[in-house]
Amino acid sequence: MKIALVGNPNVGKSAVFNRLTGASVIVSNYPGTTVEFTRGTMRLGGQPAVVVDLPGTYSLEPTCKAEEVTARALEELAPGDVILNVVDSTNLERGLGLTLQLTRLRKPMVLALNMWDEAKHTGVQIDVPVLEKSLGIPCVPVVAITGEGIGTLAEKVRQAAVPPHEFDNAERWREVGNLLGNAQKLSHRHHTVLERLGDASLRPLAGTAIAFLVLGASFGAIWVLGEGLITYALRPFFEEAWGPLMLNLSALLGGRGLLHDLLIGRLTEGGIDYGSSFGLLTTGLFVPFAAVLPYVFSFYLVLSILEDSGYLPRLAVLADRFMHNVGLHGMGMIPMLLGLGCNVPGALSGRIMESDRERFICTTLMSIAVPCMAQTAMIVGLAGRHGPQALALIFGTLFLVWFVLGVVLNRLLKGESPEILVDIPPYRVPYFKGLLKKVWMRLVAFIFEAVPFVLMGVLLANLLYALGLIDLVGRLAEPVVTGLMGLPRESVGGLAVGFLRKDVAVGMLAPLDLSFRQTVVACLVLAVYFPCVATFAVMLRELGGLKMLKASAIMALTALTVGTLMNLVLKVAVG
Amino acid sequence: MGIRPGVNLVKVAEQLFGGPVVVQVGNAQMAVGFGMAKKIIVETETQQERS
């Protein structure tokens, strides 16, 4: 038996899915987060059943790809399959429009009245027995993120009934009005503080002030938490516990030899310098776990709070007019924000943009000009010693590149971008258990993605040195690397490894003792030229081969231009 | 998404320089891009007319 979860976007279908199947799907309230099927299983009355989480849709007449997926999936239901219709209890009028359409499919149905707690808080009173009688199907109040009512829901699925009454499609809104006249009572209540705050966050003056506060606090929190984890937990561990262990291993392996160099790398004055040792067990583990992971964790923690509190769509409203300059609408801000943590989810979230043109601009801009945590760590690691001016110059230039490239792409690419049309959810206090679970899932995904690539990067770096390829490739690339961009020939190795992982490239460039000018150019080129291979793979899948070729050409051209120009400008300015 | 002929809505916020308009339909708030919002024709009602 198959149970299909159907409903409007953002009603909590994925949360219901997680509860029923015990699976872990990320629950976010951006439109279009679920664009493919998600399948899971559950036991129903001792029998296994397949649960399918379908993309949200407002009507069975599809208006976009995600809605087509749902419409088609519903057509393909077999006898005995059940439609589990999830509605937002605070928005019953809108949700029931789809419900009445679903009755025309003549399949067994159950209605889950989700966000029941919020309905109570906002004065919405729903007479469930009356609703059940009017629709002829079981109706179950639930609060999916906490799990309340889910047990009852699972039971009622077994009592799913084919609706006795088939509602007329053209007249369905009038029917909804009739239904709700009997079953729903809205009681008047005063604006709560949260609601007033929610409205203020949308107004141009108060809203912008709030935005600066929120973003400032967010970045501050990320920095403090990340640094704290590194200084008080991870660095001490690596220096006082792991280090001695590795030194013992080093002695065991005789202090030299292929295996030793592979695993431990080069010792510095009898000790281990994680930045330059380049062993799989030293640099290979230090970089992802002690340098990048703490920031990825703190980033995702803060981001999840911003998501679940309902703030992000309001930010999108404020940013919308500005984003129009680069051919996107306000929601395009979100992939950029996500990209600051890791470019992979940044690339995936391009899906929240409706048109191909927007998705292309959004993803390309993000991968070129938005530095992920690993890139940021690399930039700080490499350029930090040249002072805050270097950092300001690098990040400032990246922002400029983002804007200028965005304007150029908007001008050159044919077509128009659609306008923003998005739900603004009420401000909610996040459900912390669910939030922590989400952070954990994102962290685990990052570890499984990042660590293999870091290890590969370290391996590749060692290989390049051992085979003397750095010198060879360096000579070939010299006209560009040295001639145009002013970087030493040896930096080619770092640039090559940067394709695998940006943060490993630091270790290869640091010993070259680059000048202020060279450091700025190197950081910019590394950040801009190609995303790490993980992002590259995702982009290839999201955009397709042809568009990816276009994007890659843009990346290469931008990197060349920025590197050359910055080299020139700094030569003139600083010498 | 809830904006249909005949439906009552309340304007919640507007932006400078042609940003989105936020409206409330029933219990749901949504942001509508400026270009789209320009095409939606509404009749204003005062509080008295509504009751």
Side-chain angles (χ1 to χ4, degrees):
Chain A
M1 164 165 88
K2 189 155 67 171
I3 303 171
L5 291 169
V6 195
N8 287 351
N10 289 351
V11 296
K13 291 184 298 304
S14 296
V16 173
F17 179 83
N18 282 350
R19 284 285 167 183
L20 288 178
T21 62
S24 298
V25 173
I26 299 245
V27 175
S28 293
N29 52 24
Y30 317 132
T33 327
T34 312
V35 289
E36 301 153 329
F37 273 47
T38 321
R39 257 202 175 81
T41 54
M42 68 178 290
R43 292 203 81 80
L44 207 60
Q47 300 286 10
V50 173
V51 184
V52 185
D53 184 16
L54 296 176
T57 184
Y58 287 108
S59 132
L60 289 184
E61 291 132 22
T63 59
C64 66
K65 243 181 272 183
E67 294 188 346
E68 274 173 39
V69 171
T70 300
R72 212 172 339 122
L74 288 173
E75 281 164 30
E76 292 169 4
L77 287 177
D81 289 346
V82 170
I83 295 180
L84 209 180
N85 182 202
V86 183
V87 292
D88 176 357
S89 306
T90 66
N91 261 305
L92 212 46
E93 186 183 345
R94 201 163 67 171
L96 285 184
L98 178 65
T99 311
L100 295 195
Q101 276 190 332
L102 289 171
T103 61
R104 300 172 66 76
L105 294 175
R106 316 310 297 146
K107 296 256 171 232
M109 281 173 67
V110 180
L111 188 68
L113 296 155
N114 197 18
M115 302 177 181
W116 187 253
D117 54 342
E118 229 171 271
K120 277 200 294 191
H121 289 154
T122 56
V124 174
Q125 290 164 287
I126 300 173
D127 194 333
V128 181
V130 168
L131 192 63
E132 275 186 333
K133 196 149 166 264
S134 312
L135 290 174
I137 61 178
C139 302
V140 186
V142 298
V143 182
I145 44 173
T146 63
E148 293 163 56
I150 293 291
T152 316
L153 182 66
E155 271 175 46
K156 295 281 178 154
V157 167
R158 297 164 65 192
Q159 301 166 23
V162 178
H165 188 148
E166 193 181 312
F167 292 86
D168 181 78
N169 196 21
E171 292 294 311
R172 69 183 192 277
W173 293 115
R174 197 154 52 83
E175 304 262 22
V176 170
N178 287 341
L179 260 171
L180 289 181
N182 295 329
Q184 182 178 256
K185 218 182 329 195
L186 301 170
S187 53
H188 175 74
R189 77 215 194 295
H190 301 289
H191 258 40
T192 65
V193 174
L194 270 184
E195 280 176 352
R196 267 195 247 262
L197 203 61
D199 289 347
S201 311
L202 291 167
R203 287 195 272 272
L205 283 153
T208 312
I210 292 176
F212 274 109
L213 274 171
V214 169
L215 289 175
S218 300
F219 284 118
I222 292 173
W223 188 72
V224 167
L225 193 55
E227 267 315 300
L229 278 172
I230 294 180
T231 316
Y232 295 110
L234 290 152
R235 176 156 280 140
F237 170 76
F238 270 90
E239 280 171 6
E240 282 147 49
W242 191 249
L245 204 70
M246 288 296 104
L247 283 174
N248 282 342
L249 184 60
S250 166
L252 217 76
L253 292 173
R256 58 214 298 276
L258 183 64
L259 190 62
H260 175 275
D261 283 350
L262 221 63
L263 291 179
I264 316 260
R266 255 150 290 150
L267 297 179
T268 316
E269 288 154 21
I272 297 184
D273 173 23
Y274 288 108
S276 61
S277 50
F278 270 82
L280 286 176
L281 296 178
T282 54
T283 305
L285 291 180
F286 184 82
V287 165
F289 284 106
V292 183
L293 196 72
Y295 274 103
V296 170
F297 167 72
S298 65
F299 175 83
Y300 278 135
L301 188 63
V302 171
L303 178 81
S304 301
I305 294 177
L306 286 180
E307 284 176 337
D308 290 0
S309 64
Y311 183 66
L312 288 183
R314 292 175 165 83
L315 188 64
V317 168
L318 294 170
D320 184 70
R321 189 61 193 85
F322 175 71
M323 298 294 280
H324 273 210
N325 291 317
V326 300
L328 301 171
H329 62 61
M331 292 300 273
M333 178 63 78
I334 289 171
M336 307 301 166
L337 284 179
L338 282 175
L340 283 172
C342 176
N343 274 8
V344 170
L348 284 173
S349 65
R351 295 173 177 184
I352 67 178
M353 309 304 286
E354 300 89 1
S355 72
D356 281 341
R357 179 185 191 259
E358 279 184 312
R359 225 170 279 149
F360 179 79
I361 295 178
C362 190
T363 314
T364 305
L365 278 185
M366 190 238 23
S367 63
I368 290 183
V370 177
C372 67
M373 279 299 161
Q375 282 181 341
T376 307
M378 168 208 80
I379 292 172
V380 172
L382 203 57
R385 67 196 185 94
H386 288 293
Q389 317 92 291
L391 295 177
L393 189 59
I394 294 170
F395 288 113
T397 308
L398 281 176
F399 179 71
L400 197 67
V401 170
W402 182 88
F403 188 75
V404 171
L405 186 61
V407 170
V408 168
L409 286 179
N410 189 22
R411 211 53 75 85
L412 290 182
L413 290 175
K414 282 187 285 272
E416 273 192 26
S417 293
E419 300 254 12
I420 190 173
L421 180 64
V422 74
D423 270 322
I424 313 264
Y427 272 155
R428 296 182 175 115
V429 175
Y431 176 59
F432 266 104
K433 255 178 80 182
L435 188 145
L436 287 176
K437 184 165 185 215
K438 188 157 68 156
V439 174
W440 174 251
M441 281 166 54
R442 283 169 148 159
L443 215 61
V444 168
F446 176 81
I447 293 176
F448 275 102
E449 245 165 42
V451 172
F453 284 112
V454 172
L455 294 177
M456 273 198 272
V458 168
L459 219 62
L460 181 67
N462 281 330
L463 225 79
L464 287 180
Y465 272 127
L467 296 179
L469 279 178
I470 296 201
D471 216 51
L472 178 64
V473 180
R475 251 183 274 257
L476 292 174
E478 195 162 10
V480 173
V481 170
T482 312
L484 284 177
M485 303 198 275
L487 297 171
R489 201 172 63 205
E490 295 78 16
S491 58
V492 159
L495 293 178
V497 174
F499 181 61
L500 274 178
R501 282 293 298 190
K502 308 279 185 169
D503 37 13
V504 177
V506 187
M508 301 189 67
L509 293 175
L512 296 178
D513 203 28
L514 302 168
S515 70
F516 178 90
R517 171 176 55 86
Q518 290 173 325
T519 306
V520 170
V521 172
C523 285
L524 281 175
V525 170
L526 254 177
V528 167
Y529 75 154
F530 283 123
C532 67
V533 67
T535 307
F536 199 83
V538 171
M539 283 179 73
L540 191 60
R541 202 178 63 207
E542 293 289 303
L543 297 176
L546 192 58
K547 291 220 175 82
M548 197 49 199
L549 221 66
K550 260 166 77 171
S552 306
I554 295 173
M555 291 169 194
L557 204 63
T558 310
L560 215 65
T561 314
V562 172
T564 309
L565 277 178
M566 183 55 77
N567 188 30
L568 250 123
V569 166
L570 286 183
K571 257 213 185 110
V572 169
V574 180
Chain B
M1 269 185 74
I3 304 181
R4 303 182 301 276
V7 123
N8 281 333
L9 54 80
V10 177
K11 182 165 93 169
V12 174
E14 65 179 22
Q15 302 296 310
L16 309 168
F17 314 121
V21 178
V22 180
V23 298
Q24 182 154 335
V25 180
N27 235 338
Q29 284 190 356
M30 59 198 84
V32 182
F34 190 72
M36 224 186 293
K38 273 202 301 195
K39 301 184 185 150
I40 301 177
I41 301 172
V42 296
E43 263 173 29
T44 51
E45 277 180 355
T46 61
Q47 285 285 94
Q48 288 127 301
E49 281 172 342
R50 205 128 27 93
S51 48

